Amino acid sequence: MKKQSVFTAVLSLFLMIGINNTAEAQFSKKLKAAKSAMKLGKKKTSKGGGSGSFSSFNNETDDLGITGEYFSLNDSKAYGFRFVKESEGKIVNKLHYFEKKGDEPQLKLQLKETYFTKHNVKLFFKWMSASASGYVEVIEVAPGVFAQIKSDRSLNNADLPVALNAKRTVVDIMAKNKADFDTWDIETGQAKVDMILTTLKSANSDKVKKKLLRFDAYKNYKGKIAFAKGTNYLKNSRNNQPTEKVANFITKRELGATVAYKPYFEVPLAQSHPGAWFNVTYEMNGVKTDREVLRKSSTKFSKNIPQYDSEQDKFYWQWSKVLLDTSNNRADYAFLELLRQTQDNLKAGQTYDVKITVWAFKDGENIDQVASSTIQLEYTSGANGTEKLLFDPVKGWVTILEDYLDE
């Protein structure tokens, strides 16, 4: 077996076990995309850049040990990398990229300084254009070896470094020593980049969480679910600023009235369970309903129970969900099914504990719960109480579901 094949297999196994268990599954898709990707935002031709020698660059030194002549895995041509720390008396920390000889580089890429100072990650980025390549990045995967990355995220602000949650595809390997290509190919470079990004995402997550803990909603409800009389009470003004007021959260409500809910997570789902999405279960009176189970059980439930496959990169749902919403005539059909199955045992004057659990769901099963809480729902009497809300012969929640399932 070739040296590079052994290295790739070992590194991939390491990622699967300890760091990023989705890396290997994404390799084939990323490699396919790499075949048609453009080098540093510009497609090369036989008459293009990379001609000649940049060996004189090897005589230069810099603080990061980057400057030198590099060779491309894709076309075997030579290119020049020069790290420029200072210019005109100011610290600039740029990587000058040369395709052809001359005083001016073809591209100037910016060092992401916090990645380097905090994690010793040498990542340089350059905004091309939203219509072309978006962001282009190069990242050091080993001394004298860089992976060239194309990001699929389209941003319109050239001053912002590409977001950590953007999809990144390694499209080329640039090495000072051609012998390094025995170890580093596209797949190996992708595995190392994924590993580095996992570390950066984890560190960024810790930073975001520290800020979230300033807010009572997140501090008091991480790992739990907050309930309110309407979705308007669970809105926050900005992303990563859960400014909703804990005083508006409820623990008890009339059965059949509007109940909105919002979970808060210890860590984002994408970090704790890569590749998973959210599922929700409801439990009351010894009966349990499961959104994903119901969603797969019939066309009617599938149509009315959407998959919760967004916001996996968030510490909480930006948009709350509802059990029932009388003002907008909305309901979670998995909760309605719970009411339908338990209706014969519900009695006026009684209060029932309803446990709601948000799960990490993957490969057809609930893996781990990521948030859970219980709310008390009271079966009220009176002309406009629970009896009417649930069992009105025309507009009752349970009545509507039963009529729909009988169609």
Side-chain angles (χ1 to χ4, degrees), residues 254-357:
E254 179 183 23
L255 178 58
T258 298
V259 176
Y261 72 95
K262 181 175 185 175
Y264 300 81
F265 312 116
E266 290 282 356
V267 294
L269 191 68
Q271 181 181 336
S272 62
H273 299 83
W277 62 84
F278 296 106
N279 187 26
V280 180
T281 59
Y282 302 102
E283 298 177 64
M284 181 177 70
N285 268 9
V287 177
K288 181 177 181 179
T289 55
D290 183 303
R291 285 177 55 86
E292 283 294 329
V293 170
L294 288 172
R295 199 170 69 85
K296 295 292 185 179
S297 67
S298 71
T299 56
K300 291 181 178 179
F301 278 124
S302 181
K303 179 180 178 181
N304 291 281
I305 300 179
Q307 184 175 330
Y308 288 164
D309 56 354
S310 61
E311 300 193 297
Q312 290 99 319
D313 60 336
K314 301 290 192 301
F315 277 89
Y316 53 84
W317 287 353
Q318 193 79 10
W319 307 104
S320 59
K321 312 296 184 184
V322 297
L323 305 183
L324 301 171
D325 186 347
T326 57
S327 60
N328 293 297
N329 198 32
R330 295 185 300 146
D332 186 331
Y333 271 57
F335 180 68
L336 288 186
E337 177 62 9
L338 179 71
L339 297 179
R340 190 186 73 83
Q341 291 186 28
T342 59
Q343 61 180 308
D344 293 338
N345 296 318
L346 300 178
K347 299 179 180 179
Q350 297 294 311
T351 297
Y352 300 94
D353 289 339
V354 179
K355 182 181 180 181
I356 294 91
T357 304

Side-chain angles (χ1 to χ4, degrees), residues 36-326:
S36 60
M38 295 183 290
K39 173 179 287 293
L40 287 179
K42 298 189 224 177
K43 189 172 182 180
K44 303 299 178 200
T45 65
S46 59
K47 297 181 180 180
S51 58
S53 170
F54 295 87
S55 58
S56 61
F57 281 41
N58 295 330
N59 299 325
E60 301 178 26
T61 60
D62 64 66
D63 291 349
L64 301 188
I66 293 175
T67 302
E69 179 182 47
Y70 286 75
F71 299 94
S72 162
L73 174 66
N74 286 349
D75 60 22
S76 299
K77 294 179 181 178
Y79 298 85
F81 280 14
R82 176 180 287 138
F83 175 67
V84 178
K85 181 177 181 179
E86 187 174 349
S87 177
E88 298 180 351
K90 297 180 180 180
I91 300 298
V92 294
N93 287 334
K94 291 183 180 292
L95 178 65
H96 289 189
Y97 165 81
F98 293 83
E99 297 176 351
K100 55 187 178 181
K101 293 183 178 180
D103 295 332
E104 287 298 316
Q106 278 61 64
L107 285 177
K108 296 179 181 180
L109 297 94
Q110 182 67 53
L111 174 70
K112 177 61 176 171
E113 294 185 15
T114 55
Y115 293 173
F116 177 68
T117 56
K118 295 182 179 181
H119 308 287
N120 199 34
V121 171
K122 301 172 187 176
L123 183 149
F124 297 86
F125 63 93
K126 170 68 177 178
W127 172 255
M128 303 302 291
S129 70
S131 60
S133 303
Y135 274 96
V136 171
E137 300 170 327
V138 293
I139 183 169
E140 187 182 67
V141 293
V145 182
F146 277 81
Q148 180 195 314
I149 303 166
K150 181 175 180 290
S151 171
D152 292 340
R153 183 182 176 94
S154 294
L155 300 175
N156 294 318
N157 190 336
D159 296 327
L160 291 173
V162 68
L164 278 175
N165 61 348
K167 179 182 177 183
R168 287 170 162 84
T169 302
V170 174
V171 296
D172 199 3
I173 301 295
M174 311 290 288
K176 286 184 178 181
N177 189 341
K178 288 184 178 181
D180 285 327
F181 294 141
D182 292 338
T183 297
W184 293 96
D185 57 10
I186 296 292
E187 183 178 5
T188 310
Q190 186 70 65
K192 182 61 180 292
V193 167
D194 288 342
M195 184 173 69
I196 292 171
L197 290 173
T198 297
T199 300
L200 293 175
K201 288 176 183 178
S202 178
N204 185 67
S205 178
D206 292 342
K207 180 177 67 175
V208 171
K209 185 173 183 178
K210 184 177 179 180
K211 293 181 179 180
L212 290 176
L213 288 170
R214 302 171 183 169
F215 300 90
D216 288 340
Y218 182 77
K219 180 173 65 176
N220 297 330
Y221 281 83
K222 60 183 186 299
K224 302 177 183 180
I225 298 172
F227 301 98
K229 295 180 180 180
T231 56
N232 56 307
Y233 295 108
L234 297 174
K235 290 181 178 179
N236 52 280
S237 59
R238 298 179 183 178
N239 189 26
N240 289 332
Q241 291 192 7
T243 55
E244 47 269 32
K245 297 179 180 179
V246 173
N248 291 327
F249 296 170
I250 61 174
T251 58
K252 188 175 182 179
R253 184 71 161 147
E254 179 183 23
L255 178 58
T258 298
V259 176
Y261 72 95
K262 181 175 185 175
Y264 300 81
F265 312 116
E266 290 282 356
V267 294
L269 191 68
Q271 181 181 336
S272 62
H273 299 83
W277 62 84
F278 296 106
N279 187 26
V280 180
T281 59
Y282 302 102
E283 298 177 64
M284 181 177 70
N285 268 9
V287 177
K288 181 177 181 179
T289 55
D290 183 303
R291 285 177 55 86
E292 283 294 329
V293 170
L294 288 172
R295 199 170 69 85
K296 295 292 185 179
S297 67
S298 71
T299 56
K300 291 181 178 179
F301 278 124
S302 181
K303 179 180 178 181
N304 291 281
I305 300 179
Q307 184 175 330
Y308 288 164
D309 56 354
S310 61
E311 300 193 297
Q312 290 99 319
D313 60 336
K314 301 290 192 301
F315 277 89
Y316 53 84
W317 287 353
Q318 193 79 10
W319 307 104
S320 59
K321 312 296 184 184
V322 297
L323 305 183
L324 301 171
D325 186 347
T326 57

